[in-house]
Amino acid sequence: MYNVVGKIKKNMMQGRNTVEEVLCLSAQRGYTVFYRNCDDNNVLSDIVVSHSTSIQMMRTWSYVLIMDTTYNMSLLKDVGMTPTGKNFTVATAFMRNEQAAIYR
């Protein structure tokens, strides 16, 4: 069963690798993606993903913005808050490490 599903997914990717497929699907579904490659090779090092609706909500309600990183995982989540106290995800980032230079 897993082999069949794998073949179907591979056909749907039309020759793209996994990262290229993520970037393609993100664009099709209204996400904005920023990414960086390592300087010495063509390996993805950092990626930030945000939906166009989330960006518009942040522009509307930019009073509170919380940035939270998970311990020992290079995952950064930006969360905004509406005037009614509801939280919404602005962006999610996966980083190669948590050094200060990465946050720029």
Side-chain angles (χ1 to χ4, degrees):
M1 185 67 179
Y2 289 111
N3 292 339
V4 173
V5 171
K7 286 180 183 178
I8 292 170
K9 286 183 180 180
K10 190 169 181 110
N11 287 337
M12 291 174 60
M13 291 172 59
Q14 300 173 350
R16 294 183 290 264
N17 65 31
T18 305
V19 173
E20 291 169 339
E21 182 68 6
V22 168
L23 296 175
C24 179
L25 291 175
S26 298
Q28 288 176 3
R29 290 175 170 83
Y31 287 88
T32 301
V33 179
F34 299 100
Y35 61 92
R36 286 189 286 201
N37 293 336
C38 289
D39 295 332
D40 52 347
N41 54 29
N42 199 21
V43 175
L44 184 66
S45 64
D46 309 303
I47 186 166
V48 179
V49 180
S50 183
H51 195 271
S52 56
T53 304
S54 299
I55 294 170
Q56 184 59 42
M57 289 175 72
M58 189 195 73
R59 288 180 179 151
T60 304
W61 300 300
S62 59
Y63 305 113
V64 177
L65 183 63
I66 302 165
M67 298 175 77
D68 182 32
T69 58
T70 56
Y71 177 73
N72 214 9
M73 251 183 89
S74 297
L75 173 68
L76 172 70
K77 189 169 186 178
D78 296 334
V79 179
M81 186 179 293
T82 66
T84 59
K86 303 275 186 187
N87 295 338
F88 61 94
T89 299
V90 176
T92 302
F94 297 94
M95 305 170 295
R96 64 181 158 190
N97 57 44
E98 294 182 18
Q99 296 175 353
I102 299 297
Y103 288 92
R104 294 188 184 124

